[in-house]
Amino acid sequence: MSTVLYDYWRSSASYRVRIALHLAGVPFERVTVDLLAGAHKAPDHLARHPQGLVPVLDIDGHRLTQSLAILDYLNDTRGMGLLPEDPAHAAQVRALAHTVAVDVHPVCNLSVVRHATRAAPDPAQATKAWMQRFIRPGLAAFEAQLAAFSQTPFACGETLSLADICLIPQLYNAARWEVDTRDLPRIHAVATACAAHPAFAAAHPDQLRPAG
């Protein structure tokens, strides 16, 4: 039974799941859902995901939605070790992940930003300002929370975790929107370590950018 990921190349949530699938060694087929063309609101995709979002993952005879839920499933079924066994430590790692995936990402969602900036005299500039307004504080908070961990070399220690998988797509967005992160050295150290990992390299949006 093949594994199919319905995603969009620049979607942060899709990027998280691609990283996890590569980390878990799960071969998968990608089916593009073009957000800019409105394909996520087409009847065939709404049948897969009533919220009209990406990603959707067909795996093991199941159809799964919501990236964090998908990451939990992969962690539980593939023994990925994305969370510490100690409940308190696991809660700290989840808190880091949620700082970007739950608090920053939703307000930077394409539909939210389009709605918020549609009446602006210069929507493109307003979009950039909106992204910077929300991404920068979230990443600064992530950096501060890293003080609780001995970073060697990933966000929460020597092994990759849920926090790394959620951070890297948000850093991609930060760079895209010219968010100043120069004063966040621990985050950049994590990014350097992750960039050297084949799973992160294979999942990177630049590997999947449409031609033209």
Side-chain angles (χ1 to χ4, degrees):
M1 186 177 298
S2 62
T3 297
V4 180
L5 176 66
Y6 298 86
D7 78 342
Y8 181 65
W9 68 286
R10 265 186 170 164
S11 157
S12 295
S14 299
Y15 190 177
R16 293 175 207 138
V17 173
R18 291 197 304 268
I19 293 169
L21 287 168
H22 286 299
L23 282 172
V26 177
F28 64 97
E29 172 191 352
R30 288 184 61 243
V31 175
T32 296
V33 180
D34 191 339
L35 301 184
L36 295 184
H40 55 304
K41 299 301 182 183
D44 61 339
H45 189 68
L46 289 173
R48 299 183 202 106
H49 195 326
Q51 289 179 283
L53 301 173
V54 290
V56 177
L57 182 67
D58 286 352
I59 187 170
D60 302 337
H62 307 293
R63 174 160 286 173
L64 307 177
T65 62
Q66 291 292 341
S67 65
L68 294 179
I70 293 171
L71 294 178
D72 281 343
Y73 177 84
L74 291 173
N75 190 47
D76 291 342
T77 61
R78 268 60 181 185
M80 297 177 66
L82 298 179
L83 291 167
E85 293 184 6
D86 178 83
H89 292 165
Q92 288 179 306
V93 174
R94 283 195 180 95
L96 268 175
H98 292 184
T99 295
V100 291
V102 175
D103 292 333
V104 177
H105 175 239
V107 294
C108 295
N109 183 277
L110 179 65
S111 63
V112 173
V113 179
R114 280 180 171 174
H115 180 78
T117 61
R118 62 183 177 178
D122 185 345
Q125 185 58 38
T127 295
K128 182 177 178 180
W130 178 279
M131 295 298 195
Q132 292 177 343
R133 162 64 183 82
F134 290 102
I135 294 174
R136 163 70 198 187
L139 290 178
F142 193 104
E143 176 88 4
Q145 291 176 77
L146 287 179
F149 299 92
S150 175
Q151 180 187 311
T152 53
F154 300 110
C156 302
E158 296 181 0
T159 59
L160 287 161
S161 72
L162 186 66
D164 300 285
I165 292 175
C166 290
L167 172 65
I168 297 307
Q170 194 59 67
L171 283 178
Y172 173 83
N173 285 339
R176 179 184 174 196
W177 299 107
E178 299 178 8
V179 176
D180 187 359
T181 62
R182 289 173 294 179
D183 61 335
L184 307 178
R186 294 194 65 172
I187 279 179
H188 282 287
V190 173
T192 298
C194 290
H197 196 291
F200 284 80
H204 197 284
D206 288 352
Q207 299 291 330
L208 309 170
R209 184 189 299 269

